[in-house]
């Protein structure tokens, strides 16, 4: 039996894609080399457009534990500058603090509810791409086996085995100058600022929470999470790593160097695991293609970049939501010509913009007096509301418009939970035009919303108003009318 889709990697991106495919009725198989949840501390939250998109699927509430739509945040950071966003009338920026483990657990639970098979302890070892399928060799707990699939998706991270076995090139640059060190800490009484949650460092001053705090020696980030965890990170070019594993003392020595003052934080005493890591350098790379035949790359397997500003999951999860409905249409034989190619043509430019602005942020937050002078000029520019608005849209991922497609659709509430295309028709005048597509497009009413055609990823496919242009949009995105396929 040939599987419709096999996904390699049960991180957030792979699980999100599995959920999107399952909403269409497919039952993907997810292969994950880990046998349990990861103990590695990675992303600490979500930033940008993906947060309202998760709300459109009913998943935001599962992460927060309470009902209601997300609200824009009053502030964010760009290159260790504070962005005040509360005065923007059209503020696009959302932030949700949640560990990657929590995000994965939520998406894994949702995937199981939808009938997705997640195979822990199963590792891809080889693949052979045929004209009509991909033959996949897997090493599982009970020994090696083989599975055949119509499409194979690599969501297996920056060191993607899928990418390497399939022959994708991964051009870019490696910067090995900076070293980042992070530790979980306990905070002695009196060091935490009660008003802001910031860290008061004797002899230095206040380190605001959840921002990159720059000095001419590097950057410090202080993160007191709502669940009680406290993390501190120091990044600098001037403290090369040794050969020994990172220690708590090494992290604190780096923090002291960057600030020029000793920070009397303590080793953590709460429940393990406790974050303690050292990351040397970083990669900025993007695959030469997102698809080779029946093998597709997703998330970090397709692109890696600096974590400055926290755009990684915003980018990868929206990759998954963009790909899901298109791949499902291809598997079912309903996709119009070239639909699957729009996954790359739409998402690659977004990745290129993320790479651009994270590289720019890393340079602007770097050490040295020349950078300090540049920051002084940049700070003057950021006094302009138009500059703040543009940076907020850049960080949120709302500044980019897909070709032949409108902006993000109005919030339609629970109507978008199904992941199906929606035609909003409050008058009934368009139902007849859309009737030949009723097997794949739902006609709905939504008071106060104009007549629009909404793609499954919640971007507008049509807003023109004429029946003829609606037919064109329906054919372009959702294939030929039903009577033409009989």
């Amino acid at each position: 039996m040939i599987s419709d889709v096999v996904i390699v990697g049960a991180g957030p991106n792979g699980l999100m894609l599995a959920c999107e495919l399952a909403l269409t009725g497919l039952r993907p198989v997810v292969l994950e080399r880990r046998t349990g949840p990861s103990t590695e501390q990675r992303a600490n939250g979500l930033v940008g457009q993906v947060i309202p998109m998760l709300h459109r699927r009913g998943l935001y509430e599962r992460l927060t534990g309470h009902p209601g739509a997300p609200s824009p945040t009053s502030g964010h950071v760009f290159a260790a500058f504070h962005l005040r966003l509360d005065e923007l009338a059209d503020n696009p920026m959302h932030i949700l603090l949640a560990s990657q483990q929590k995000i994965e657990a939520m998406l894994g639970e949702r995937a199981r509810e939808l009938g997705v098979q997640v195979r822990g302890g199963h590792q891809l070892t080889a693949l052979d791409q045929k004209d009509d399928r991909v033959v996949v060799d897997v090493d599982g707990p009970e020994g090696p086996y083989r599975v055949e699939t119509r499409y194979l998706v690599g969501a297996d991270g920056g060191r993607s085995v899928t990418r390497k076995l399939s022959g994708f090139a991964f051009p870019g640059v490696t910067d090995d100058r900076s070293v980042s060190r992070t530790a979980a800490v306990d905070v002695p009484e009196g060091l935490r600022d009660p008003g802001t949650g910031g860290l008061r460092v004797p002899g230095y001053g206040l380190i605001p929470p959840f921002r990159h705090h720059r000095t001419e020696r590097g950057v410090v980030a202080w993160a007191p999470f709502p669940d009680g965890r406290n993390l501190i990170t120091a990044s600098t070019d001037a403290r090369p790593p040794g050969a020994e594993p990172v220690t708590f003392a090494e992290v604190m020595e780096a923090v002291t160097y960057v600030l020029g003052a000793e920070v009397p934080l303590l080793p953590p005493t709460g429940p393990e695991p406790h974050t303690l890591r050292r990351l040397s350098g970083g990669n900025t790379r993007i695959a030469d293609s997102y698809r080779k035949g029946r093998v597709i790359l997703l998330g970090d397997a397709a692109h890696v970049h600096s974590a400055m500003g926290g755009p990684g999951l915003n980018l990868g999860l929206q990759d998954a939501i963009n790909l899901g409905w298109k791949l499902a249409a291809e598997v079912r034989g309903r996709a119009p010509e070239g639909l699957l190619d729009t996954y790359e043509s739409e998402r690659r430019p977004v990745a290129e913009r993320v790479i651009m602005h994270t590289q720019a942020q890393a340079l602007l937050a770097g050490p040295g007096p020349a950078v300090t002078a540049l920051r002084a000029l940049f700070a003057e520019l950021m006094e302009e509301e138009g500059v703040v608005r543009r940076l907020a849209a850049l960080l949120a991922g709302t500044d980019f418009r897909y070709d032949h497609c409108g902006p993000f659709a109005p919030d339609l509430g629970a109507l978008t939970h199904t992941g199906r295309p929606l035609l909003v028709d409050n008058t009934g005048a368009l139902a007849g035009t859309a009737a030949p597509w009723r097997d794949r497009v739902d006609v709905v009413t939504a008071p106060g919303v104009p007549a629009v055609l909404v793609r499954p990823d919640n971007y507008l496919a049509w807003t023109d108003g004429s029946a003829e242009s609606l037919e064109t949009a329906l054919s372009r995105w959702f294939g030929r009318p039903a009577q033409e396929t009989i």
Side-chain angles (χ1 to χ4, degrees):
M1 181 177 176
I2 299 179
S3 297
D4 290 324
V5 180
V6 169
I7 301 168
V8 183
N13 299 324
L15 291 171
M16 188 76 231
L17 176 62
C19 290
E20 291 294 292
L21 293 171
L23 286 175
T24 72
L26 299 183
R27 291 295 176 264
V29 174
V30 182
L31 306 177
E32 172 54 56
R33 62 180 178 81
R34 294 174 299 164
T35 57
S38 174
T39 59
E40 180 182 2
Q41 183 64 45
R42 302 190 69 184
N44 290 304
L46 298 170
V47 174
Q49 183 82 337
V50 72
I51 297 173
M53 185 60 228
L54 289 178
H55 171 62
R56 307 291 176 92
R57 290 291 188 264
L59 301 177
Y60 172 79
E61 296 84 345
R62 296 176 70 141
L63 274 176
T64 62
H66 56 77
S71 299
T73 184
S74 61
H76 193 43
V77 290
F78 180 87
F81 289 100
H82 178 54
L83 281 178
R84 289 199 57 181
L85 306 174
D86 49 350
E87 296 181 1
L88 292 182
D90 51 351
N91 180 8
M93 177 57 68
H94 295 80
I95 294 177
L96 172 62
L97 295 179
S99 69
Q100 183 158 326
Q101 290 94 328
K102 183 177 182 179
I103 296 167
E104 285 186 9
M106 181 276 291
L107 290 172
E109 180 183 68
R110 178 57 173 156
R112 287 188 291 273
E113 291 173 1
L114 293 170
V116 174
Q117 184 182 154
V118 180
R119 300 179 182 177
H122 293 247
Q123 185 166 355
L124 170 70
T125 58
L127 63 88
D128 182 17
Q129 186 167 181
K130 309 292 187 182
D131 289 340
D132 61 345
R133 66 193 187 284
V134 184
V135 181
V136 181
D137 289 336
V138 182
D139 189 6
E142 298 180 1
Y145 66 95
R146 178 168 288 177
V147 62
E148 296 186 354
T149 180
R150 290 182 173 85
Y151 285 91
L152 177 71
V153 179
D156 46 348
R159 296 183 175 87
S160 171
V161 174
T162 309
R163 186 185 65 236
K164 295 172 183 177
L165 290 175
S166 303
F168 290 87
F170 203 39
V173 295
T174 298
D175 181 357
D176 58 3
R177 293 173 299 172
S178 180
V179 181
S180 172
R181 298 170 171 91
T182 301
V185 298
D186 280 351
V187 185
E189 187 174 352
L191 262 65
R192 194 188 304 268
D193 181 72
T196 65
L199 189 66
R200 291 202 170 277
V201 178
Y204 182 84
L206 181 68
I207 307 296
F210 302 109
R211 300 184 196 171
H212 291 102
H213 184 80
R214 179 194 176 270
T215 75
E216 288 199 359
R217 293 182 173 187
V219 170
V220 164
W222 164 243
F225 291 99
D227 61 7
R229 295 177 299 125
N230 300 294
L231 295 182
I232 194 161
T233 298
S235 301
T236 178
D237 295 355
R239 287 292 187 270
E244 299 300 318
V246 64
T247 64
F248 183 84
E250 178 187 334
V251 177
M252 297 313 302
E253 188 273 338
V255 173
T256 298
Y257 171 78
V258 172
L259 297 178
E262 186 173 351
V263 186
L265 297 172
L266 303 173
T269 56
E272 296 187 359
H274 300 309
T275 299
L276 184 63
R277 68 170 180 263
R278 178 204 298 134
L279 299 175
S280 299
N283 286 295
T284 299
R285 300 181 179 276
I286 188 166
D288 61 335
S289 173
Y290 281 21
R291 178 167 70 100
K292 289 187 182 295
R294 294 178 175 271
V295 180
I296 304 171
L297 301 181
L298 174 65
D300 287 354
H303 41 68
V304 293
H305 49 79
S306 167
M308 185 76 73
L313 284 178
N314 186 34
L315 180 60
L317 289 172
Q318 290 197 84
D319 285 351
I321 295 166
N322 183 283
L323 174 61
W325 64 279
K326 298 172 181 178
L327 182 55
E330 191 73 28
V331 169
R332 293 187 177 281
R334 293 177 175 174
E337 183 177 357
L339 179 67
L340 193 53
D341 292 333
T342 66
Y343 164 58
E344 178 169 357
S345 67
E346 291 186 343
R347 296 306 298 169
R348 172 180 282 273
V350 182
E352 290 171 344
R353 287 192 66 74
V354 169
I355 285 172
M356 174 274 289
H357 77 69
T358 53
Q359 285 182 309
Q361 288 190 72
L363 288 172
L364 273 170
V371 175
T372 300
L374 179 61
R375 289 178 63 83
L377 174 60
F378 204 84
E380 293 182 11
L381 297 176
M382 290 179 63
E383 294 177 2
E384 300 289 335
E385 181 179 323
V387 173
V388 174
R389 179 180 293 106
R390 183 156 186 167
L391 290 176
L394 177 69
L395 295 172
T398 60
D399 65 330
F400 186 84
R401 185 74 60 86
Y402 297 145
D403 288 340
H404 311 291
C405 188
F408 207 54
D411 189 353
L412 299 176
L415 292 171
T416 56
H417 289 188
T418 65
R420 284 176 59 84
L422 301 175
L423 174 63
V424 179
D425 178 20
N426 291 325
T427 66
L430 301 171
T433 303
W437 287 270
R438 62 181 177 273
D439 60 329
R440 69 206 86 155
V441 177
D442 292 341
V443 179
V444 300
T445 58
V449 177
V452 291
L453 178 64
V454 183
R455 302 193 325 182
D457 57 359
N458 265 235
Y459 285 85
L460 295 179
W462 170 86
T463 57
D464 183 81
S466 73
E468 182 179 2
S469 61
L470 175 58
E471 287 184 354
T472 299
L474 287 163
S475 296
R476 176 181 183 85
W477 295 112
F478 309 118
R480 294 180 299 168
Q483 64 262 32
E484 294 184 19
T485 63
I486 296 175

